[in-house]
């Protein structure tokens, strides 16, 4: 994945947390048991809005205080800060969403010989892991190392890392949904990661996989519908619905809203199997279709290419050649009407940006995914962010609009990883459905707040 995104955001984005692509190194295997009162029904869960989207739950018996973690379809494990907790280089990061967890008396360490332990250590054999845990050789040979815990494991993202131990405990989600023997990472030290992550990617330690091991109808198909980003922490918005067990039928008619889903096939990535990768054919700016480079259309055997659909990354990252072409065409259409806001570009790292008086005239933007008719028209707010700029604080405020996509690096930098990332900012106002059995990702324009209300009326 690309290097961490460093933006000196000083205008509308001050004190805002942005996430960069999560470049993880794990696949996993685990078993759990679940108890729920929603058999054969869709289960809506609330995601808290903001510049990222968070899922809340509690652990243990008696239940812990509420824990809030970032929802991340770009990773495959659940981990959280545990007491005592230290976050290195977190001074510029968003504050923790919940206090570090004190493990409950019902929590148990995952043993070194378990498949979950092997998965957290990149499929290292259990005999090696038990040796690391100082289980005696005779007990290793007789598979009698249950009392020796899984050794700490290292987990790396594109913008941070952590060391954690594996535990099991009961997990309680809203809507009376619980999972017994849920496996999670307990981190006492992290680098630039003050908030834990609820991994929703492929891999059996992810939350959907642990749920689907006993309730396939809930874990094998889920969706979310992200309400508009709120960079103002004081602005209250309705939650974004995360829907476990999302049904296919009756999706096209929801109240007065007609919904048309557009599907594209998932691409298997042999090096990063936890990613939901899809192929991108091109991007339209206005009526001009800009073809995507070959590395966005497919994934090769070395794990290079494809576009990751990632709820845990804020902005869409495009390879340099495609990004430059999109920016040139956008500026050709917009720059002739409006003055470039160069000062804003320098202080925010966003580009191109423009000053305008009332309503900016900008071309439409569409993403064309691989597959017949698999095109998604982005809502304007998903690619053009509008705010007021006070400049040096002396003059009059001016309206500014910026294109909200990022340069993800050139082909050499992207080799061995995804060619691009579809971030959550570009997924606002759309329901995104993940069908893990049919290996498809679907998109539909939705009124996300209305969708949430429909499940709660």
């Amino acid at each position: 994945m690309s290097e961490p995104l460093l933006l000196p955001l000083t205008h509308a984005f001050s004190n805002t947390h942005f996430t960069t692509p999560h470049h993880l190194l794990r696949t996993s295997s685990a078993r759990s048991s679940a108890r729920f009162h929603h058999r054969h029904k869709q289960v809506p869960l609330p995601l808290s809005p903001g510049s990222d989207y968070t899922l809340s739950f509690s652990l243990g018996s008696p239940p812990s205080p509420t824990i809030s973690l970032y929802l991340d379809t770009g990773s495959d494990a659940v981990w959280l800060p545990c007491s005592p907790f230290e976050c290195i280089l977190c001074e510029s990061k968003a504050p923790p969403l919940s206090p570090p967890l004190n493990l409950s008396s019902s929590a148990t360490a995952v043993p070194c010989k378990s498949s979950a332990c092997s998965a957290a250590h990149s499929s290292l054999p259990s005999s090696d892991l038990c040796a690391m845990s100082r289980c005696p050789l005779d007990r290793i040979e007789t598979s009698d190392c249950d009392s020796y815990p899984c050794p700490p494991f290292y987990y790396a993202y594109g913008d941070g890392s952590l060391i954690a131990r594996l535990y099991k405990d009961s997990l309680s989600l809203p809507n009376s949904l619980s999972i017994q023997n849920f496996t999670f990472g307990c981190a006492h030290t992290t680098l630039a990661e003050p908030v834990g992550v609820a991994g929703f990617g492929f891999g059996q330690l992810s939350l959907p996989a642990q749920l689907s091991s006993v309730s396939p109808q809930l874990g094998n198909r889920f969706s979310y519908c992200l309400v508009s980003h709120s960079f103002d922490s004081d602005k209250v918005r309705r939650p974004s619905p995360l829907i476990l067990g999302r049904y296919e039928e009756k999706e096209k008619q929801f109240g007065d809203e007609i919904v048309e889903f557009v599907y594209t096939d998932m691409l298997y990535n042999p090096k990063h199997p936890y990613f939901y990768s899809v192929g991108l054919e091109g991007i339209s700016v206005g009526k001009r279709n800009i073809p995507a480079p070959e590395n966005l259309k497919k994934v090769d055997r070395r794990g290079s290419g494809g576009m990751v659909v990632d709820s845990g990354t804020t902005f869409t990252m495009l390879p340099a050649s495609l990004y430059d072409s999109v920016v040139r065409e956008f500026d050709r259409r917009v720059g002739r009407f409006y003055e470039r806001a160069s000062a804003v570009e320098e202080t925010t790292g966003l580009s191109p940006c423009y000053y305008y008086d009332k309503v900016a005239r900008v071309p439409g933007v569409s993403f064309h995914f691989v597959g017949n008719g698999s095109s998604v028209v982005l809502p304007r707010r998903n690619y053009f962010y509008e705010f007021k700029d006070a400049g040096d604080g002396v003059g009059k405020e001016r309206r500014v609009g910026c294109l909200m996509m990022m340069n993800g690096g050139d082909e050499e930098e992207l080799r061995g990883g995804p060619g691009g990332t579809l971030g959550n900012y570009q997924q606002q106002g759309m329901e995104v459905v993940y069908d893990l059995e049919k290996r498809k990702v679907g998109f539909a324009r939705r009124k996300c707040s209305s969708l949430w209300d429909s499940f709660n009326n």
Side-chain angles (χ1 to χ4, degrees):
M1 298 286 279
S2 61
E3 292 297 312
L5 173 65
L6 303 176
L7 296 179
L9 300 171
T10 58
H11 288 263
F13 307 108
S14 59
N15 300 318
T16 297
H17 173 66
F18 293 96
T19 49
T20 55
H22 282 168
H23 186 186
L24 295 172
L25 310 173
R26 308 282 180 252
T27 56
S28 53
S29 175
R31 294 289 295 178
S32 59
S33 59
R35 174 177 56 81
F36 52 90
H37 306 292
H38 299 273
R39 292 187 184 276
H40 311 299
K41 291 184 180 180
Q42 302 173 104
V43 178
L45 302 175
L47 299 176
S48 299
S51 60
D52 287 287
Y53 299 88
T54 58
L55 176 65
S56 297
F57 56 82
S58 59
L59 284 167
S61 179
S64 67
T66 299
I67 300 161
S68 296
L69 307 182
Y70 292 134
L71 174 76
D72 184 20
T73 57
S75 63
D76 67 340
V78 179
W79 71 269
L80 55 145
C82 288
S83 182
F85 177 67
E86 178 188 17
C87 184
I88 303 166
L89 298 180
C90 278
E91 293 79 9
S92 62
K93 294 283 187 173
L97 302 174
S98 48
L101 174 72
N102 288 299
L103 289 170
S104 74
S105 58
S106 58
T108 58
V110 171
C112 61
K113 73 170 195 173
S114 71
S115 59
C117 181
S118 178
H121 287 272
S122 300
S123 299
L124 199 65
S126 61
S127 55
D128 291 348
L129 294 167
C130 288
M132 292 165 61
S133 296
R134 300 189 176 182
C135 182
L137 179 59
D138 59 333
R139 300 184 70 171
I140 292 175
E141 296 293 358
T142 57
S143 297
D144 187 24
C145 293
D146 283 346
S147 61
Y148 291 83
C150 181
F153 64 93
Y154 169 79
Y155 218 87
Y157 297 89
D159 54 358
S161 59
L162 60 116
I163 294 175
R165 284 187 178 273
L166 282 184
Y167 288 89
K168 287 190 176 185
D169 209 340
S170 59
L171 178 144
S172 300
L173 290 158
N175 275 338
S176 303
L177 177 64
S178 66
I179 306 175
Q180 304 301 318
N181 296 316
F182 183 80
T183 302
F184 62 95
C186 184
H188 294 286
T189 307
T190 67
L191 174 67
E193 295 289 344
V195 179
V197 171
F200 264 67
F202 274 123
Q204 293 178 15
L205 279 183
S206 73
L207 199 153
Q210 294 196 58
L211 179 58
S212 67
S213 66
V214 291
S215 178
Q217 71 269 25
L218 288 183
N220 285 339
R221 186 177 165 94
F222 66 89
S223 75
Y224 52 71
C225 195
L226 303 180
V227 299
S228 297
H229 265 259
S230 174
F231 294 116
D232 182 354
S233 59
D234 296 326
K235 193 169 184 178
V236 178
R237 294 176 181 268
R238 283 195 188 92
S240 299
L242 167 67
I243 307 168
L244 302 177
R246 189 69 171 108
Y247 282 171
E248 181 89 40
E249 59 265 30
K250 298 181 181 178
E251 286 183 330
K252 291 192 174 182
Q253 184 70 45
F254 221 99
D256 296 330
E257 189 178 9
I258 297 175
V259 178
E260 295 285 349
F261 273 90
V262 169
Y263 287 92
T264 186
D265 291 336
M266 294 180 188
L267 304 175
Y268 176 68
N269 189 317
K271 187 177 178 181
H272 311 286
Y274 41 82
F275 282 147
Y276 298 119
S277 298
V278 298
L280 184 71
E281 293 275 10
I283 297 176
S284 288
V285 178
K287 293 183 178 181
R288 186 187 169 199
N289 183 21
I290 302 169
E294 288 301 312
N295 70 327
L296 277 182
K297 299 176 184 178
K298 58 187 178 182
V299 178
D300 67 24
R301 62 189 179 191
R302 295 181 297 274
S304 297
M307 190 157 193
V308 174
V309 185
D310 188 0
S311 67
T313 296
T314 306
F315 298 123
T316 290
M317 314 286 283
L318 300 174
S321 59
L322 179 59
Y323 172 80
D324 291 343
S325 296
V326 168
V327 166
R328 276 196 303 271
E329 182 61 21
F330 194 86
D331 187 56
R332 187 181 74 81
R333 292 171 175 269
V334 180
R336 55 187 169 181
F337 297 110
Y338 306 107
E339 174 192 353
R340 273 296 272 271
S342 300
V344 174
E345 293 176 1
E346 290 175 8
T347 55
T348 65
L350 302 173
S351 179
C353 297
Y354 307 91
Y355 293 116
Y356 64 94
D357 293 327
K358 294 182 179 178
V359 179
R361 296 165 54 188
V362 297
V365 173
S366 300
F367 279 60
H368 306 293
F369 295 102
V370 172
N372 247 348
S374 298
S375 295
V376 176
V377 179
L378 296 184
R380 171 188 168 115
R381 66 174 177 269
N382 288 23
Y383 62 89
F384 193 69
Y385 185 70
E386 299 169 82
F387 58 98
K388 290 183 179 179
D389 171 53
D392 56 10
V394 177
K396 183 181 177 182
E397 283 189 334
R398 301 184 70 180
R399 294 178 184 270
V400 180
C402 297
L403 181 67
M404 298 297 271
M405 295 183 199
M406 299 291 170
N407 185 339
D410 60 31
E411 193 170 332
E412 184 63 33
E413 292 176 280
L414 297 171
R415 187 163 293 153
T421 304
L422 184 66
N424 63 43
Y425 195 89
Q426 278 64 46
Q427 298 177 47
Q428 299 173 96
M430 287 192 287
E431 185 176 4
V432 183
V433 62
Y434 297 79
D435 190 326
L436 309 190
E437 288 186 325
K438 296 181 180 178
R439 297 186 66 88
K440 293 180 179 291
V441 179
F443 304 88
R445 291 281 292 271
R446 296 298 297 256
K447 296 176 182 176
C448 296
S449 57
S450 299
L451 179 60
W452 173 255
D453 290 343
S454 70
F455 277 103
N456 291 277
N457 288 336

